[in-house]
Amino acid sequence: MFPSWSFANISFFQPHAFLMIGIPGLEAIHGWISIPFFSMYTAALTGNCLILLAVRRTPSLHQPMYYFLSMLALTDMGLTLATMPTTLAVLWFDHRLIGFDTCLVQMFFLHFFSVVESSVLLAMSFDRFVAISNPLRYASVLTNNVIIRIGLAIVARATVSLFPLPFLLKRLNFCPGKILLSHSFCFHADVMKRACADITVNIIYGLYVVLSTMGIDSLLIVLSYALILHTVMSLASPRERIRALNTCVSHILAVLVFFIPVIGVSMIHRFGRHLPPIVHTLVAYVYLVVPPVLNPVIYSVKSKPIREAMLRVLREKRKG
């Protein structure tokens, strides 16, 4: 049921709450749909926790590459926790209301962790470039202090970029009858479309954030790999080339798993207005749920040191 308010003689309106949806057209089987969602959220949290414990407890993994992997794992956990409560509340209990301010907080953290993940993937590509192009100086270039500064810069960049978004939404006059969101969480592009005001500033700033963060990051990642390929092709031995490229496979897969859904979500929100609602919903879930699930799988399969360290952590847990 839609909540009812009296809207007479109101010149400026902000809803007390929005209504979220689950999977459009499949409301009758939300209970069954919640099983794979709960399983994916559990797998994401468990897998990324295992990576963090494995790196922390294994001295041989106290290297720049694995510190950046830990940053990625933390970011994936944050992205998972940003959407899990509302998604499972809708699917399990049909609890669809989310307060206006709560929605803005969730929106901030959802986009915050997305920008952080993009930045961490860029830092990891820089790590691979330094390791392959100048291995003798690798440890001296990426010292612990440098890694800490990179981490702080990533957090500061995401915070400064996204801090204005909630305030740009708070200034808008919303439509009393348009409180139904397109997802079980709050996207900036989705929330701003519920306004009965000029949203040109929101559109321009949202586009600026995407281009100045994920857009630039993706271009710099491509540039990094162009330089890495140039370096690898100069190696004399084919075996050395394969060994060098093999160290990048996990990162390349993580980049694809993250950026392909990001592009899909951006394109659909801007050009897919006539697509069925279920398409918007499923693409958004792929963007937010799949990377945190797959990244631990990718790194545990492709990286033997990480896999062995994760198995040691599991064995210790069983003994304990």
Side-chain angles (χ1 to χ4, degrees):
M1 295 290 295
F2 285 78
S4 59
W5 296 286
S6 175
F7 305 120
N9 299 321
I10 294 179
S11 58
F12 182 81
F13 171 75
Q14 285 183 345
H16 295 296
F18 289 108
L19 274 172
M20 302 175 292
I21 64 170
I23 309 295
L26 301 177
E27 289 82 0
I29 57 170
H30 271 178
W32 291 105
I33 294 172
S34 69
I35 296 174
F37 273 91
F38 178 74
S39 300
M40 286 189 289
Y41 281 130
T42 302
L45 292 175
T46 303
N48 287 294
C49 275
L50 278 175
I51 286 178
L52 290 172
L53 288 172
V55 173
R56 181 182 176 184
R57 296 182 180 182
T58 309
S60 62
L61 297 183
H62 293 176
Q63 302 175 33
M65 174 183 177
Y66 300 110
Y67 289 146
F68 286 125
L69 178 58
S70 296
M71 290 184 195
L72 185 66
L74 275 173
T75 305
D76 281 337
M77 290 178 67
L79 197 58
T80 299
L81 292 172
T83 61
M84 183 176 72
T86 53
T87 299
L88 293 182
V90 171
L91 295 177
W92 277 348
F93 310 113
D94 196 33
H95 183 77
R96 301 168 61 198
L97 280 175
I98 182 169
F100 182 77
D101 290 331
T102 304
C103 180
L104 296 186
V105 171
Q106 184 188 46
M107 178 207 71
F108 174 83
F109 281 107
L110 189 157
H111 291 297
F112 172 84
F113 285 114
S114 296
V115 171
V116 168
E117 180 138 353
S118 173
S119 303
V120 170
L121 289 170
L122 173 60
M124 295 173 82
S125 70
F126 175 68
D127 167 80
R128 291 298 82 209
F129 169 68
V130 174
I132 291 172
S133 64
N134 205 336
L136 296 178
R137 294 191 59 204
Y138 177 62
S140 62
V141 171
L142 289 172
T143 62
N144 289 345
N145 284 336
V146 169
I147 293 170
I148 290 171
R149 289 175 185 173
I150 290 173
L152 292 174
I154 287 172
V155 171
R157 178 201 194 198
T159 303
V160 170
S161 297
L162 296 167
F163 185 75
L165 283 186
F167 299 99
L168 289 175
L169 289 173
K170 288 280 282 187
R171 70 184 178 84
L172 295 177
N173 184 27
F174 284 80
C175 299
K178 294 175 66 177
I179 61 169
L180 182 63
L181 300 177
S182 302
H183 309 287
S184 58
F185 39 79
C186 296
F187 266 136
H188 173 254
D190 192 25
V191 175
M192 73 178 182
K193 290 175 183 176
R194 307 297 171 251
C196 291
D198 184 4
I199 59 173
T200 303
V201 173
N202 295 71
I203 292 172
I204 292 173
Y205 190 76
L207 187 60
Y208 161 75
V209 170
V210 171
L211 292 178
S212 64
T213 55
M214 299 179 191
I216 289 177
D217 291 348
S218 59
L219 291 175
L220 291 176
I221 289 171
V222 171
L223 176 62
S224 296
Y225 274 99
L227 295 173
I228 286 171
L229 281 174
H230 181 266
T231 302
V232 168
M233 295 310 293
S234 66
L235 297 175
S237 168
R239 179 177 292 182
E240 289 178 353
R241 295 176 188 174
I242 294 172
R243 187 169 56 196
L245 288 174
N246 196 46
T247 64
C248 302
V249 171
S250 298
H251 179 251
I252 292 171
L253 292 174
V255 168
L256 294 176
V257 162
F258 177 75
F259 279 102
I260 290 176
V262 165
I263 294 169
V265 167
S266 300
M267 296 296 287
I268 281 180
H269 266 291
R270 283 164 178 78
F271 307 111
R273 296 176 184 175
H274 304 297
L275 292 172
I278 193 170
V279 175
H280 291 255
T281 302
L282 292 178
V283 171
Y285 280 128
V286 169
Y287 157 51
L288 293 171
V289 179
V290 171
V293 174
L294 288 186
N295 284 337
V297 175
I298 290 169
Y299 277 92
S300 62
V301 170
K302 296 300 297 181
S303 174
K304 185 178 178 181
I306 282 290
R307 181 171 64 252
E308 291 177 345
M310 291 172 72
L311 290 173
R312 276 197 300 272
V313 170
L314 288 173
R315 284 195 292 267
E316 290 172 5
K317 289 291 184 183
R318 288 172 184 172
K319 289 177 182 179

